[in-house]
Amino acid sequence: MKNIIRLAFLVLLVATMACEGPRDARSRRGATDDAFSSSTSTDSDNDDGGVTVADNDNGNTTSTDTGTQIPPEIDHCNWSTDGVNGFESSSTHLGSYTFCQAESPGVETDVYLQLQMPISDSQVCVIPTFNNGANSIYVGEPRCLSATDNKRIYKIGLIKNRPGYSNFAITGAMIMKDKAFLYPAPFNQYVLSPDAYLFCANFLDQYGDGSYCQAFSSVAQYKYHQF
């Protein structure tokens, strides 16, 4: 039985990734839940006490030094100008951080992320979600980036491309490091978090079995953020 489940895991995971395109793009689909339902920017010094806004949209790498001036579409959120103080939220997985959705009309897919603790050993993946009561449902593929500068605000252009859900509003996001962790049964192996999340979602969608999502949740290597 374990071999059958493991084979199903591998077949479904390979099939899903084959439909997503190159791994570098991390074009993954997943469904999340508080109970689960179904680009990289280069570093630069900025010693004037300000921050840099880095645009990772569409895989491009551009940045604009803004000093202490925050773009108007995200000035409703709290940002750190020194990379240490002033962050808006915190989590065990990410540490102190600010994650903000642009307020400009028609750009709900633009989100911005700043981390107090730079991540040098992996990328960070962001998956857009829609909250529906106690559940949150993914609405598009993950976008991943390298967040290695705590005085940089990273702009991420999300994509709403899940069939049947593209008209749903983005009201939150699943954020996780692109690292492998040991997941308990029914995984019983090390899996990259986005892959574990992806498999859990697909298994739940296709078979109505939430056991993989329970295993994914139990390791707690993610942060679900609602706007």
Side-chain angles (χ1 to χ4, degrees), residues 126-130 137-142 158-160 170 172-174:
V126 179
I127 304 168
T129 62
F130 168 76
I137 305 168
Y138 82 98
V139 298
E141 66 188 38
L158 299 177
I159 301 173
K160 295 200 300 182
I170 296 176
M174 200 67 167

Side-chain angles (χ1 to χ4, degrees), residues 77-197:
C77 295
N78 297 323
W79 303 100
S80 173
T81 57
D82 60 6
V84 178
N85 304 294
F87 289 93
E88 196 165 86
S89 307
S90 65
S91 77
T92 302
H93 185 57
L94 297 174
S96 296
Y97 72 96
T98 294
F99 186 60
C100 186
Q101 185 178 37
E103 281 194 331
S104 300
V107 290
E108 65 165 344
T109 54
D110 287 348
V111 296
Y112 295 74
L113 176 67
Q114 184 184 18
L115 300 174
Q116 183 190 54
M117 296 187 300
I119 299 173
S120 59
D121 60 347
S122 73
Q123 290 193 322
V124 179
C125 296
V126 179
I127 304 168
T129 62
F130 168 76
N131 182 265
N132 182 20
N135 300 321
S136 58
I137 305 168
Y138 82 98
V139 298
E141 66 188 38
R143 298 299 302 273
C144 303
L145 71 152
S146 295
T148 57
D149 187 343
N150 62 355
K151 294 175 70 176
R152 177 160 291 186
I153 299 171
Y154 294 91
K155 179 182 177 182
I156 306 160
L158 299 177
I159 301 173
K160 295 200 300 182
N161 61 351
R162 182 187 181 189
Y165 292 88
S166 60
N167 62 328
F168 280 45
I170 296 176
T171 62
M174 200 67 167
I175 311 170
M176 68 189 75
K177 298 175 184 177
D178 189 19
K179 296 181 65 174
F181 298 94
L182 178 60
Y183 288 93
F187 284 103
N188 287 320
Q189 59 185 301
Y190 280 91
V191 186
L192 287 168
S193 287
D195 290 336
Y197 178 74

